[in-house]
Amino acid sequence: LQAFSPHYFRGGERLWSYSEENRKAAVCLLGERKPPLAFLSRGLSAPEEALRDMSLDELSSFYANPARYLLRTRLGLFLEEKSPLPEDREPLEIKHLDRYRLAETMTQKGMNGIGPEDLFPSIRASGAIPPGTVGECLYDDLGASVEGFVRRTRSFQGGGTMEPLEVDLSLSGFRLRGRIEGIHAAGLLRYRFAPIKGVDLLRAWIHHLALNVACRTGYPRTTRIIGLDPERRDEDRWRALRLSPVEDGEPIVECLLRNYWGGLGVPVPLFPESSWRYARDVLLNGRQPQDALVSARRKWTGNEWSRGEGEDPYYRLSFTAGDPLDGAFESLSKEIFGPLLEHLEEE
C-alpha cells in the first residue's frame, strides 16, 4: 500500500500510521472528486485586429498545430520539452531524428545536383554519422535511398523554375500575403524525404489555394506533394500526390480564415494527423464514422512503438477536460480536409 492509503487510518489492528501529512492525503482521496476544468474554458478576449493581417507561413503554422499557435501568439507560452543529455558512449547508429535531418539535407542538396558522395566529407566531419566503417555503411545505405527519391522527384521539375509568385489577397476582412516559391512549369512542387503526413497536406493545400485564387497568367494551377508512403514498409515507398486546380477557391480560404480567427480565442479540436485519418476514412474510404473514430483515436493515443499525437505538450495543456475527439472534432476534420480530399489524387 502507499503510505497515504486510507487503510492506515481506519483504526485496524494490522495497519496504522502516525503521519499527519499522509492522513490528510488519505482524507483527500476519500473526498469528493471533481473533473478537471477545461483550459481556457471561457476563452480569451477578442484578438487584436492586427492578427487579421498574416502571411501564408503564419496561416500554415496555425494549421500545423492550432493549440501551439494560440498559446504562443496570445499567451507567450512555449512548452517545448528539454533536449536529452548527450550519451556518454560511442554511437553505432543514426537516431531517428538525426537520420531525418541528414536525409533532408541530402535531399535538398540532391535536388540542386549535389550527390551524397560530394557531401560525405563534410557530413563525416560534422559528426552526424558514427565514425569509421559503421558510419560509412549507414551513410551509403541512406544515400542510395535518397538518390532514388531525388531522381524520381526531379522528373517534376521539367521546364525550369519559375519566378516566385507574390500573393496579396483580401478576403472577408483578412489580408493574406506571401511569396510562393518552388513553382515549375509542371506545377508547384513540395517534397520531403519522409512519410507524407496530414500537416504536409495542409501546408501544401494552403499554398495551392493561394496559387489558384491569385490565378496569375502564365502560372500553373496544380501542386504535387512528394514523399514516402506511410502505409508501406518496403524499399519502394516513393509516393506522389497531386492537387488539381480549384475553380472557386475563395470560399475555401475564407473558411480557413474563419477557423483561424476562432482558434485565436479558444483551442479548436483540429489535430492534423488524427483529423486527416478521420476525414480520409469517412470521406474517401467510406467507413462508418464510429469506425473512423476508432482509427483516429489510435493515431491520437499512439502505441508502444510510436508516440501518439495527443502527447504533444500543447494539446495536453489545451484539452485537459473531456474527450478531445468529440463531435466538434469530427465536424471540423471534415470541414477542413473535405475540400482538400475533393482535389487530391494519386499521381
Side-chain angles (χ1 to χ4, degrees), residues 59-74:
L59 187 61
S60 298
S61 179
F62 170 81
Y63 278 98
N65 189 323
R68 179 179 63 196
Y69 193 92
L70 168 65
L71 297 184
R72 286 183 174 184
T73 303
R74 301 295 313 280

Side-chain angles (χ1 to χ4, degrees), residues 220-239:
R221 297 176 57 198
T222 60
T223 297
R224 286 181 175 84
I225 308 157
I226 300 176
L228 304 180
D229 190 340
E231 305 296 335
R232 299 180 63 175
R233 291 294 179 265
D234 53 13
E235 293 184 0
D236 186 18
R237 299 179 62 197
W238 185 88
R239 187 186 191 191

Side-chain angles (χ1 to χ4, degrees), residues 8-293:
Y8 284 111
F9 305 97
R10 286 175 172 161
E13 296 182 358
R14 298 183 60 225
L15 299 174
W16 66 89
S17 173
Y18 298 104
S19 171
E20 179 62 17
E21 291 183 355
N22 287 325
R23 186 195 67 81
K24 293 179 179 179
V27 171
C28 290
L29 285 177
L30 298 174
E32 181 183 359
R33 298 294 185 92
K34 295 182 180 180
L37 296 176
F39 182 70
L40 297 180
S41 57
R42 298 182 180 179
L44 297 176
S45 58
E48 300 177 1
E49 287 298 309
L51 292 175
R52 290 184 178 271
D53 185 338
M54 82 208 76
S55 67
L56 289 171
D57 289 339
E58 288 171 333
L59 187 61
S60 298
S61 179
F62 170 81
Y63 278 98
N65 189 323
R68 179 179 63 196
Y69 193 92
L70 168 65
L71 297 184
R72 286 183 174 184
T73 303
R74 301 295 313 280
L75 299 178
L77 292 179
F78 292 81
L79 306 177
E80 258 56 39
E81 298 178 357
K82 295 181 179 180
S83 300
L85 295 174
E87 296 186 8
D88 58 357
R89 59 187 178 87
E90 186 174 285
L92 296 178
E93 61 180 356
I94 306 176
K95 296 296 180 64
H96 181 73
L97 182 58
D98 294 331
R99 187 180 189 277
Y100 165 73
R101 290 170 177 166
L102 178 57
E104 277 294 284
T105 299
M106 297 169 70
T107 301
Q108 294 295 334
K109 296 294 184 181
M111 294 295 289
N112 293 320
I114 303 175
E117 66 280 356
D118 300 317
L119 283 175
F120 181 71
S122 60
I123 295 295
R124 179 174 57 184
S126 70
I129 60 175
T133 304
V134 172
E136 293 180 17
C137 292
L138 291 173
Y139 184 84
D140 289 342
D141 288 343
L142 181 58
S145 299
V146 170
E147 279 190 308
F149 179 88
V150 169
R151 182 174 59 256
R152 299 178 70 174
T153 303
R154 292 187 70 177
S155 64
F156 293 104
Q157 289 184 322
T161 304
M162 303 180 68
E163 288 293 322
L165 178 63
E166 300 290 342
V167 174
D168 195 339
L169 306 174
S170 295
L171 299 167
S172 301
F174 294 91
R175 183 186 181 192
L176 184 61
R177 49 189 170 72
R179 179 183 177 94
I180 304 178
E181 299 180 336
I183 306 176
H184 304 269
L188 177 62
L189 182 62
R190 292 290 181 261
Y191 56 85
R192 197 163 68 96
F193 188 78
I196 298 176
K197 296 184 176 182
V199 67
D200 301 316
L201 296 172
L202 282 176
R203 187 178 294 113
W205 176 238
I206 289 171
H207 284 77
H208 178 73
L209 287 171
L211 178 67
N212 278 263
V213 173
C215 198
R216 198 72 54 84
T217 303
Y219 281 85
R221 297 176 57 198
T222 60
T223 297
R224 286 181 175 84
I225 308 157
I226 300 176
L228 304 180
D229 190 340
E231 305 296 335
R232 299 180 63 175
R233 291 294 179 265
D234 53 13
E235 293 184 0
D236 186 18
R237 299 179 62 197
W238 185 88
R239 187 186 191 191
L241 301 175
R242 179 179 180 270
L243 289 170
S244 60
V246 182
E247 298 303 329
D248 187 14
E250 289 192 7
I252 302 175
V253 177
E254 289 172 345
C255 173
L256 294 176
L257 293 172
R258 285 196 303 271
N259 282 291
Y260 155 80
W261 193 250
L264 292 178
V266 64
V268 295
L270 181 76
F271 318 110
E273 309 315 318
S274 304
S275 295
W276 163 243
R277 175 72 64 86
Y278 177 82
R280 183 196 63 184
D281 284 350
V282 171
L283 301 177
L284 184 64
N285 299 333
R287 299 184 66 182
Q288 292 298 317
Q290 61 269 24
D291 296 330
L293 194 59

Side-chain angles (χ1 to χ4, degrees), residues 266-324:
V266 64
V268 295
L270 181 76
F271 318 110
E273 309 315 318
S274 304
S275 295
W276 163 243
R277 175 72 64 86
Y278 177 82
R280 183 196 63 184
D281 284 350
V282 171
L283 301 177
L284 184 64
N285 299 333
R287 299 184 66 182
Q288 292 298 317
Q290 61 269 24
D291 296 330
L293 194 59
V294 171
S295 179
R297 198 173 299 281
R298 285 198 293 266
K299 177 64 69 173
W300 176 258
T301 58
N303 53 45
E304 56 188 298
W305 297 284
S306 62
R307 295 183 61 183
E309 189 176 20
E311 294 184 38
D312 179 274
Y314 294 94
Y315 292 146
R316 288 205 307 265
L317 177 60
S318 300
F319 298 92
T320 53
D323 182 8

